[in-house]
Amino acid sequence: MFLQRQDVFLLHKKSLALPGGGKKLATRFSMGDLKKLSGRPKMAGGKKTKFINVRFTDDEYEVVVALEKELGTSKTDLIRMRVLSDAKQAVINSKELIKHLDNIGAEVGRVGNNINQLARHANVLKLQGSLNPIVIDRFNRLFEEYLQIQQALEAALRKILRAMAN
């Protein structure tokens, strides 16, 4: 008996099962009975050929594993979604941001100190009766401008905090 191309044999243990071969049992399938497999579906975004190696601390890794279980997705997809979502928005370097916010806070403190000194000096001049109305007008305009800048700074900080929370 000759084997034909369409004959498929299942191997049991390490022995070869041949059709009509004595004690060995063979199971035969016809290729016509099997559904033609088309293979893996084509990837929508193209073949992924680039590789990035990432290392985590034990605590960071536990956070990733917890998110993986919670969201029911793989670590790779989880990291890909997090990195590539809103990719066109600016990435915030938190250390650099905190350094700049610290500098801004110090500057706002110095400005507030200067305003208090000017107000104290103005009160002394007012008690002496030598306070010029032009100085009062100029001070009030500068103080209004300072308040507008401070409000804009507070709004910008709220936007940054919201962006970091997302």
Side-chain angles (χ1 to χ4, degrees):
M1 175 181 254
F2 291 100
L3 298 177
Q4 297 179 0
R5 286 180 83 182
Q6 71 266 18
D7 291 336
V8 178
F9 302 99
L10 298 179
L11 299 178
H12 298 283
K13 297 184 184 176
K14 290 186 178 179
S15 63
L16 179 62
L18 298 173
K23 297 179 184 174
K24 307 280 183 195
L25 182 61
T27 306
R28 190 177 88 167
F29 297 97
S30 170
M31 289 298 278
D33 295 340
L34 294 178
K35 191 182 214 183
K36 183 174 180 182
L37 299 177
S38 60
R40 180 181 236 178
K42 297 288 182 191
M43 295 177 64
K47 189 173 182 179
K48 294 178 175 110
T49 59
K50 303 300 179 193
F51 177 78
I52 297 175
N53 189 14
V54 179
R55 295 186 188 275
F56 293 105
T57 64
D58 289 337
D59 293 337
E60 292 170 336
Y61 185 77
E62 292 303 320
V63 170
V64 172
V65 169
L67 282 172
E68 175 187 30
K69 288 178 183 174
E70 182 180 330
L71 299 175
T73 185
S74 69
K75 291 178 203 69
T76 302
D77 289 338
L78 179 68
I79 293 169
R80 186 178 287 123
M81 285 186 299
R82 183 64 180 156
V83 169
L84 296 179
S85 66
D86 300 326
K88 293 187 179 187
Q89 290 183 354
V91 176
I92 297 172
N93 181 344
S94 59
K95 288 182 181 180
E96 194 72 21
L97 175 65
I98 289 172
K99 184 177 107 179
H100 287 297
L101 290 177
D102 190 40
N103 291 339
I104 290 170
E107 190 66 31
V108 168
R110 286 190 283 275
V111 169
N113 186 33
N114 289 344
I115 290 171
N116 286 338
Q117 288 178 8
L118 289 172
R120 182 170 181 242
H121 186 66
N123 285 332
V124 169
L125 290 177
K126 183 179 176 184
L127 289 175
Q128 293 175 354
S130 61
L131 184 61
N132 190 340
I134 296 173
V135 172
I136 294 172
D137 184 50
R138 177 87 171 125
F139 175 81
N140 286 337
R141 282 189 282 133
L142 289 173
F143 190 67
E144 274 187 39
E145 183 180 336
Y146 166 76
L147 290 177
Q148 289 174 353
I149 291 170
Q150 187 178 15
Q151 288 172 350
L153 175 64
E154 289 172 2
L157 289 174
R158 282 193 298 273
K159 285 182 184 178
I160 290 170
L161 291 174
R162 279 190 218 116
M164 290 178 71
N166 293 335

